[in-house]
């Protein structure tokens, strides 16, 4: 009898807990994505009418959820936003690119042959004639790995041709973590390293597998308006020309110079590699750049904690997408960004509504919708460098980027394969949702460096970016993987990333219960999760430990 009473009391307690647990509405999620990804919002480009509409919509929803403004202090009162000053760079007029191989000249086409970015080094005009090309392998300087691809090569006045990803991407083993991409493999690193070395420009060779996306993505992401944080010395971070080149065109240039592209690529996977000049091959370029400083906005809402308000849990997601750009085959120029990342903002709003209805937690909870993620994580980079709430007492960051609008899955993942307590807690809690953690299936894609948790991680804050699972309850792994693969090929960073009436949002509404529970546990706890002892961000976090006592 006692056993029966105990079981019944446990069931009653579980039922009460289930009744108290917030409900996440798939229809509301769908509506938020539909609105944010509508043509009316013009692809949510920073510093456009689309930004104004987006920011206003997010603030409106945060207000309705019962949250308080948590942004900049203006006359002693918190505003709903944090100003983010950004350099804005746009190519005006034609991009003239002329290749010379010593025998013939060839006009190259912007977007089809090369994808040339607007200069971000402060130049109003990029104009050079017959610049030589030098192949520098993977363009890596890694003293801790005893690796130097440059061997003293002077790049001043030259264009550096460089491979994407790491030297051991193709072999799967070596000094750079095998298939998993290190920061040396990211295109951002390549551009920065060539600028540090005084190169005239960088030409990254595009290959779909090591880049993890096709040429369309490269073209659409690099030929529109560029943004950067405002820098005192921009030429130290950016060479005058930054670009990508189609793989087959690059291989043809090597051939014209009497070189074998594939053979040199194999050499570049070794420490012994030395830079090689593409003899007789030169490039001339001429294009005008409009450079100005604009102010974009991070949107910040806050629920003040009742006993430890100075300790903060952050949920984040980026509100921006690519705006209006080059037309696709159908003539569509609006990059709606439904999955990337109207889904993350819809999730952020739905979590805000749940917290707004619940009793206040012990610690404060901040909902941060950041700008300019698509331009290099700039909104989150700015917040992490100019935090509204101290990073030392920020408990953790739960980021949401490009969530699946489809069915419920048996698993979940995070961007990259970082080791931290936050992931351990999420994995343990996921069992209550009948979900298991699956490590990032494509660590070679460098997702860890591609979402808004990364600027926080660099500053030591425990941070993860949640990823929807790929093993559907109805359809299994094959169906789930097909949905993900189709999205990357057909819709990612393309005008076709649009809201669909067929999306159920069942998976998101299910997963938000898990993300709410994780954040709520952190907000009601006195614990301070950390990185694993051997994680590269552990020392940075530990350096501020005294501020968390």
């Amino acid at each position: 009898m006692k056993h029966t009473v105990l079981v019944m009391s446990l069931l009653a307690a579980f039922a009460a807990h289930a009744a108290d647990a917030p409900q996440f509405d798939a229809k509301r999620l769908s509506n938020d994505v539909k609105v944010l990804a509508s043509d009316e919002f013009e692809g949510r480009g920073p510093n456009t009418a689309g930004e104004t509409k987006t920011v206003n919509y997010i603030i409106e929803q945060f207000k309705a959820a019962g949250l308080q403004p948590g942004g900049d202090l203006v006359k002693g009162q918190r505003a709903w936003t944090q100003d983010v000053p950004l350099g804005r760079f746009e190519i005006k007029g034609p991009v003239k690119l002329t290749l010379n191989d010593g025998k013939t000249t060839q006009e190259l086409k912007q977007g089809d042959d090369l994808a040339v970015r607007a200069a971000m080094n402060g130049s109003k005009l990029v104009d050079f004639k017959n610049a030589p090309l030098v192949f520098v392998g993977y363009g890596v300087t890694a003293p801790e790995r005893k690796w130097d691809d440059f061997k003293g090569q002077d790049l001043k006045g030259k264009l550096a041709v460089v491979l994407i990803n790491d030297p051991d991407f193709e072999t799967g083993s070596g000094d750079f973590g095998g298939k998993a991409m290190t920061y040396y493999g990211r295109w951002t690193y390549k551009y920065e390293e060539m600028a540090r070395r005084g190169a005239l420009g960088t030409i990254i060779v595009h290959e779909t597998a090591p880049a993890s996306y096709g040429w369309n993505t490269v073209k659409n992401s690099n030929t529109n308006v560029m943004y950067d944080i405002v820098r005192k010395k921009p030429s130290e971070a950016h060479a005058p020309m930054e670009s990508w080149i189609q793989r087959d065109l690059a291989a043809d240039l090597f051939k014209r110079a009497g070189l074998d592209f594939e053979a040199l690529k194999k050499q570049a996977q070794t420490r012994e590699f030395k830079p090689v000049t593409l003899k007789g091959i030169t490039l001339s370029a001429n294009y005008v750049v409009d450079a100005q400083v604009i102010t974009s906005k991070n949107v910040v809402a806050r629920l003040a904690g009742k006993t430890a308000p100075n300790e903060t849990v952050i949920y984040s997601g980026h509100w921006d997408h690519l705006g209006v750009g080059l037309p696709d085959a159908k003539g569509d120029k609006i990059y709606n960004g439904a999955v990337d990342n109207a889904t993350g903002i819809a999730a952020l709003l739905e979590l805000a509504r749940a917290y707004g209805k619940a009793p206040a937690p012990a610690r404060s909870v901040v909902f941060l919708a950041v700008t300019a993620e698509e331009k290099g994580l700039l909104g989150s980079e700015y917040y992490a460098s100019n935090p509204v709430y101290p990073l030392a007492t920020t408990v953790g960051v739960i980021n949401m980027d490009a969530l699946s609008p489809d069915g419920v899955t048996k698993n979940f993942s995070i961007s990259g394969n970082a080791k931290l307590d936050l992931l351990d807690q999420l994995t343990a809690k996921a069992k209550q949702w009948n979900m298991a953690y699956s490590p990032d299936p494509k660590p070679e894609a460098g997702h860890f460096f591609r979402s808004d948790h990364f600027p926080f991680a660099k500053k030591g804050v425990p941070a993860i970016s949640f990823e929807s699972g790929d093993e559907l309850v109805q359809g299994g792994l094959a169906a789930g993987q097909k949905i993900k693969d189709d999205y990357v090929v057909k819709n990612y960073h393309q005008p076709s990333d649009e809201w669909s009436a067929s999306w159920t949002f069942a998976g998101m509404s299910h997963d938000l219960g898990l993300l709410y529970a994780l954040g709520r546990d952190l907000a009601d706890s006195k614990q301070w999760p950390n990185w694993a002892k051997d994680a590269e961000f552990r020392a940075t976090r530990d350096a501020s430990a005294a501020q968390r006592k």
Side-chain angles (χ1 to χ4, degrees):
M1 183 66 181
K2 283 181 183 176
H3 176 72
T4 305
V5 170
L6 178 61
V7 169
M8 289 183 71
S9 65
L10 285 172
L11 286 171
F14 180 78
H17 171 73
D20 291 341
Q23 299 301 304
F24 297 95
D25 191 327
K27 287 182 181 175
R28 272 199 307 260
L29 290 167
S30 181
N31 185 65
D32 284 335
V33 172
K34 186 177 183 181
V35 171
L36 290 164
S38 65
D39 282 357
E40 187 188 344
F41 280 60
E42 299 174 357
R44 303 190 306 283
N47 192 43
T48 65
E51 162 160 1
T52 304
K53 287 174 182 171
T54 303
V55 168
N56 288 345
Y57 182 80
I58 294 170
I59 291 171
E60 195 179 280
Q61 300 306 313
F62 281 150
K63 280 182 182 174
L67 302 186
Q68 298 302 309
D72 288 337
L73 272 174
V74 181
K75 296 179 182 176
Q77 300 291 316
R78 289 282 176 199
W80 281 104
T81 57
Q82 177 189 36
D83 281 354
V84 180
L86 297 173
R88 180 191 186 277
F89 309 91
E90 182 178 14
I91 293 174
K92 292 290 189 180
V95 177
K96 189 170 174 57
L97 302 163
T98 309
L99 188 76
N100 190 320
D101 64 7
K103 298 172 185 173
T104 59
T105 58
Q106 176 186 354
E107 297 295 322
L108 300 182
K109 193 171 179 187
Q110 163 75 321
D112 291 343
D113 298 317
L114 266 72
V116 178
R117 293 151 66 91
M120 290 184 273
N121 70 328
S123 298
K124 298 293 179 80
L125 172 68
V126 176
D127 183 30
F128 57 82
K129 288 184 172 58
N130 300 318
L133 275 62
V134 181
F135 177 57
V136 294
Y138 287 88
V140 172
T141 305
E144 77 285 0
R145 290 168 164 87
K146 297 182 174 60
W147 196 282
D148 173 23
D149 280 333
F150 298 93
K151 309 292 194 299
Q153 172 73 51
D154 182 5
L155 291 177
K156 289 181 177 64
K158 298 170 185 174
L159 300 171
V161 180
V162 61
L163 300 167
I164 192 63
N165 215 305
D166 291 318
D168 53 6
F169 166 76
E170 294 200 357
T171 60
S173 63
D175 296 287
F176 292 84
K179 280 285 184 187
M181 185 189 285
T182 68
Y183 192 55
Y184 295 116
R186 283 288 286 151
W187 55 264
T188 48
Y189 169 80
K190 318 281 184 183
Y191 286 147
E192 289 162 6
E193 184 62 25
M194 302 315 135
R196 281 191 285 269
R197 291 175 173 273
L200 175 62
T202 309
I203 303 175
I204 299 174
V205 180
H206 172 261
E207 294 186 273
T208 298
S212 84
Y213 36 71
W215 180 258
N216 270 346
T217 298
V218 169
K219 173 182 173 178
N220 296 338
S221 303
N222 291 278
T223 56
N224 56 4
V225 180
M226 294 285 110
Y227 292 88
D228 193 17
I229 57 173
V230 177
R231 300 177 189 270
K232 288 178 183 174
K233 296 180 179 178
S235 61
E236 292 182 0
H238 298 284
M241 179 172 159
E242 296 176 327
S243 64
W244 292 69
I245 187 171
Q246 290 264 29
R247 183 259 173 218
D248 289 348
L249 175 57
D252 181 53
L253 297 189
F254 276 64
K255 190 175 179 181
R256 291 193 227 175
L259 302 169
D260 183 327
F261 174 72
E262 287 299 329
L264 279 172
K265 190 161 76 164
K266 282 199 167 53
Q267 282 183 34
Q269 292 161 11
T270 70
R271 275 192 178 82
E272 290 69 41
F273 169 81
K274 292 178 182 176
V276 179
T277 299
L278 277 67
K279 287 180 183 173
I281 307 291
T282 63
L283 184 72
S284 301
N286 179 281
Y287 47 95
V288 175
V289 179
D290 175 61
Q292 52 186 273
V293 174
I294 60 97
T295 301
S296 189
K297 308 278 188 184
N298 287 336
V299 187
V300 192
R302 183 172 181 255
L303 183 66
K306 58 187 178 187
T307 57
N310 295 327
E311 298 171 7
T312 306
V313 175
I314 296 178
Y315 287 99
S316 64
H318 72 92
W319 60 254
D320 69 297
H321 198 56
L322 299 178
V324 177
L326 293 175
D328 64 7
K330 296 177 182 175
D332 189 354
K333 296 195 293 186
I334 298 176
Y335 290 70
N336 303 80
V339 168
D340 184 16
N341 184 34
T343 57
I345 294 300
L348 193 70
L349 297 176
E350 193 66 357
L351 283 164
R353 293 171 189 130
Y355 274 93
K357 288 176 185 171
R363 289 165 159 167
S364 296
V365 181
V366 163
F367 301 84
L368 176 64
V370 296
T371 182
E373 184 271 354
E374 300 292 3
K375 306 303 179 183
L377 314 180
L378 301 181
S380 50
E381 185 74 44
Y382 186 82
Y383 182 98
S385 299
N386 304 273
V388 181
Y389 305 99
L391 297 187
T393 49
T394 296
V395 185
V397 175
I398 302 166
N399 186 61
M400 296 161 291
D401 194 349
L403 303 178
S404 170
D406 293 290
V408 178
T409 60
K410 296 179 182 178
N411 63 342
F412 73 91
S413 190
I414 63 168
S415 297
N417 288 335
K419 297 176 185 174
L420 68 170
D421 298 337
L422 217 53
L423 176 59
D424 295 340
Q425 290 169 246
L426 184 61
T427 301
K429 191 159 282 296
K431 292 173 183 173
Q432 299 169 32
W433 273 259
N434 298 315
M435 295 171 76
Y437 167 62
S438 294
D440 185 343
K442 291 185 176 178
E444 65 272 21
H447 289 127
F448 187 82
F449 315 109
R450 290 166 58 181
S451 282
D452 287 304
H453 67 297
F454 181 54
F456 289 97
K458 284 193 294 184
K459 301 282 187 181
V461 180
I464 55 173
S465 192
F466 182 84
E467 289 208 353
S468 306
D470 56 5
E471 186 177 357
L472 288 162
V473 171
Q474 295 183 326
L477 191 57
Q481 195 55 55
K482 185 177 187 310
I483 288 171
K484 286 203 167 190
D485 291 345
D486 283 353
Y487 172 72
V488 170
V489 174
K490 297 175 182 176
N491 300 317
Y492 176 62
H493 281 205
Q494 297 175 56
S496 52
D497 186 3
E498 297 182 310
W499 176 86
S500 171
S502 67
W503 289 342
T504 65
F505 288 88
M508 268 177 67
S509 56
H510 173 266
D511 294 354
L512 285 180
L514 171 59
L515 295 183
Y516 175 87
L518 175 65
R520 186 79 204 196
D521 275 6
L522 293 173
D524 282 330
S525 164
K526 292 182 179 179
Q527 300 301 309
W528 296 97
N530 205 337
W531 297 91
K533 282 192 168 60
D534 59 348
E536 59 266 53
F537 311 112
R538 174 71 181 237
T540 307
R541 184 62 166 178
D542 287 350
S544 65
Q547 297 175 61
R548 290 187 292 279
K549 287 180 179 173

